[in-house]
Amino acid sequence: MRIPLLGHSVDLARDPLGFTRSLRDRGEVTTIFIGPRPVLVVTSVDLIRAVLVTEARKFDKGAMFDELRTHLGNGLVTSAGSFHRRQRRLAQPAFHWDRISGYADVMTARTVDSLASWSPGKPVELTAHLNRLTLDVLLDVLFGSDRNAMLDKSITAWLSIRQKATKRALSPVAAWVDRLRLRRESGRPAAGQDEKAVLCATLAELIERRRAGGDDDDLLSMLLSANNDDGSERMSNAEVCDELLTMFVAGTGTMSATLAWTWHELSRHPEIEKHLHREVDTVLMGRAATISDLPELSYTRRVAQEVLRLHPVWLLMRRALEPVAIGEIRLDPGDDVYFSPHALHRDPALYPAPERFDPDRWLPERSGDLPRFAYIPFGAGNRLCIGEGWAWTELVIVIATIAARWRLVPEPGFRPKTRVGTVERPHRLPMIPEARGLPRD
Ligand code: HEM
């Protein structure tokens, strides 16, 4: 409902997921009001493809990401235009498949370590556990043996303050409140700037040491050694620092939310959980999963695929840089357009029984007719998630390794509360581990 002055902000704040799902009933393009400001929302595969792929060069990322830039600097998520293209080209080799297969050993080892603290019947708060695990994997992959207590402490301090600030930055309502200057300027620096300064100083020291002391076999070394073919262009220390801050955020919250939803869905679908157990028992016989098991773990992958269909990023946006036609609509420079992977993935015209958790809908014979951009958990086009291959690898390794040894039962009567930022996540997920009686390695 549009309220004078507030527009649809109340609907967006009260039931963000339900509200964006309801917009498809208004057609493939519709206007909503954030405060007095009209914003376009595209709801169909064709128009989302136009924004992300065919007309992508006519857009940058928009108000939500302007706000995020005050926290993350100008890394891959927030940068635009030729600077983004250059950073992406320099960072890309660190995410090639041959590198990811090296990172996979860390994923396996860290998952096994994290399970050492579990005992049968002793409740685990799964969201906190998975936040820690995914951050540990990322930091090991980034810094290898240079990881130390000081670095961990400054990253954790910055992340915990930043989490609240980023959540606000990624709220479409907050972005427009700021843009419309409905919030009084306080003159105070954004939250977390002190912690960011400490962290950046620690990272700068580490980067300098690395530049002086030669290469290591980790992601940081890849970023430092990346250059143009003629060796002319490298990232500066400040640019590397912004890319690291970006990865601390982009590579952890999305991963841990997807893993947490996996166990929530498995606990509600015992037949699917049994099917998963049958697969991991056959392939792993109780041992931890490694990268060479991935081709055999096809059901585990379908489970992850279905979790990312039902619980992807909620809302993303772009801002027109020049006049651009999207379907029948013409956007002027500065106009914003929103789209919701969450709503698209639950569109009954694309997915039969869209609310049903059904990993086998991803069998080739059942998913072959799905239009190419109907499934966009990692976005698409020139801003496609650089960590997609990493994410699939880590999801399958973590899910299979945990499921090979443990079954997780929800605490009786507990219903998770969904927190919606860009990513939709269960706020807390207390679960009780039951040991699965298989041989261990
Ligand atoms: C399940 C896990 C993940 C999900 C669902 C996810 C989702 C996404 C999405 C939807 C985008 C595009 C945003 C847009 O178009 O505005 C994106 C971009 C990005 N992601 Fe991921 N991501 C995941 C894991 C990761 C990991 C593990 C890393 C790095 C270690 C990562 C790093 C990035 C970066 C740097 C970008 C910006 C890319 C660019 O614009 O060039 N992500 N991610």
Side-chain angles (χ1 to χ4, degrees):
M1 186 177 58
R2 185 180 164 198
I3 300 172
L5 288 177
L6 294 174
H8 295 97
S9 309
V10 174
D11 289 325
L12 271 169
R14 201 166 35 205
D15 178 15
L17 301 174
F19 178 64
T20 39
R21 281 200 304 271
S22 74
L23 295 177
R24 83 170 76 90
D25 298 337
R26 300 201 207 160
E28 60 174 0
V29 55
T30 185
T31 304
I32 62 168
F33 286 81
I34 299 188
R37 170 92 192 188
V39 176
L40 280 183
V41 182
V42 291
T43 64
S44 72
V45 176
D46 285 348
L47 295 194
I48 292 174
R49 184 190 53 210
V51 172
L52 290 184
V53 184
T54 42
E55 302 290 350
R57 289 287 154 95
K58 296 179 184 157
F59 290 96
D60 72 357
K61 295 194 74 171
M64 280 152 73
F65 295 91
D66 292 343
E67 176 73 11
L68 194 58
R69 196 171 297 114
T70 61
H71 305 282
L72 300 186
N74 210 17
L76 278 174
V77 167
T78 49
S79 58
S82 57
F83 182 74
H84 170 263
R85 280 196 292 281
R86 170 208 184 230
Q87 293 299 96
R88 177 97 190 190
R89 193 180 63 241
L90 292 177
Q92 195 77 56
F95 292 87
H96 278 164
W97 180 245
D98 53 345
R99 302 297 306 178
I100 288 170
S101 48
Y103 310 153
D105 293 343
V106 172
M107 297 168 187
T108 303
R110 274 295 176 182
T111 311
V112 171
D113 288 354
S114 81
L115 297 178
S117 61
W118 288 11
S119 47
K122 187 174 139 206
V124 172
E125 206 290 275
L126 200 63
T127 52
H129 184 89
L130 295 168
N131 284 340
R132 187 71 250 171
L133 168 59
T134 50
L135 182 62
D136 276 335
V137 168
L138 185 83
L139 297 185
D140 279 0
V141 168
L142 277 171
F143 303 118
S145 56
D146 265 346
R147 196 177 158 188
N148 60 50
M150 175 62 196
L151 184 63
D152 274 26
K153 205 171 135 206
S154 48
I155 291 171
T156 315
W158 176 71
L159 273 177
S160 62
I161 294 194
R162 183 222 44 85
Q163 215 166 22
K164 219 163 129 203
T166 308
K167 204 176 145 213
R168 185 172 191 289
L170 287 172
S171 146
V173 178
W176 276 108
V177 169
D178 288 351
R179 181 99 168 242
L180 294 164
R181 298 180 189 284
L182 297 178
R183 196 166 57 116
R184 262 186 304 133
E185 289 296 327
S186 68
R188 271 182 293 145
Q193 294 303 312
D194 291 347
E195 290 74 9
K196 184 177 169 185
V198 172
L199 175 55
C200 288
T202 314
L203 291 172
E205 250 176 57
L206 181 58
I207 292 168
E208 275 307 327
R209 263 206 320 275
R210 276 298 175 83
R211 291 215 197 266
D215 279 355
D216 251 322
D217 191 30
D218 53 30
L219 203 154
L220 176 61
S221 290
M222 291 290 292
L223 291 180
L224 293 178
S225 61
N227 55 27
N228 275 349
D229 292 343
D230 61 2
S232 60
E233 203 179 19
R234 286 193 172 198
M235 281 191 219
S236 69
N237 286 5
E239 287 163 358
V240 173
C241 190
D242 284 357
E243 294 306 346
L244 292 175
L245 297 182
T246 296
M247 271 167 218
F248 298 153
V249 174
T252 55
T254 44
M255 287 297 311
S256 60
T258 308
L259 288 165
W261 285 123
T262 302
W263 266 277
H264 173 69
E265 295 294 353
L266 288 174
S267 71
R268 292 178 345 140
H269 298 91
E271 283 312 310
I272 292 170
E273 187 187 44
K274 275 194 199 123
H275 193 158
L276 175 71
H277 286 162
R278 275 200 302 279
E279 175 170 278
V280 297
D281 292 351
T282 310
V283 177
L284 303 175
M285 303 272 292
R287 70 175 165 79
T290 67
I291 190 137
S292 52
D293 298 311
L294 259 50
E296 304 292 315
L297 293 169
S298 55
Y299 191 72
T300 312
R301 161 104 180 192
R302 291 205 291 283
V303 167
Q305 241 173 317
E306 183 67 344
V307 171
L308 276 169
R309 182 184 69 82
L310 280 176
H311 306 283
V313 169
W314 165 49
L315 194 67
L316 291 169
M317 73 178 299
R318 294 292 188 266
R319 173 174 50 205
L321 292 168
E322 54 186 273
V324 50
I326 295 297
E328 309 278 287
I329 305 288
R330 195 169 172 77
L331 276 80
D332 290 323
D335 284 350
D336 279 343
V337 54
Y338 282 54
F339 58 97
S340 167
H342 167 92
L344 183 74
H345 288 185
R346 292 182 189 229
D347 185 341
L350 298 167
Y351 296 96
E355 301 298 324
R356 216 169 91 209
F357 183 67
D358 176 11
D360 277 343
R361 73 170 77 236
W362 295 106
L363 284 167
E365 60 273 25
R366 285 181 57 195
S367 58
D369 291 340
L370 199 63
R372 169 117 183 265
F373 294 99
Y375 183 68
I376 49 165
F378 296 97
N382 60 348
R383 308 305 297 250
L384 178 76
C385 175
I386 201 169
E388 178 176 2
W390 170 322
W392 285 121
T393 307
E394 185 171 345
L395 290 172
V396 173
I397 286 180
V398 174
I399 295 169
T401 300
I402 296 181
R405 293 153 183 228
W406 296 96
R407 173 164 186 260
L408 289 167
V409 182
E411 247 181 28
F414 184 84
R415 290 170 69 93
K417 286 201 186 91
T418 302
R419 288 277 164 89
V420 184
T422 358
V423 178
E424 171 214 349
R425 65 180 64 255
H427 172 44
R428 285 180 63 249
L429 203 58
M431 298 197 98
I432 302 167
E434 283 178 2
R436 304 197 52 243
L438 283 158
R440 303 201 175 183
D441 55 8

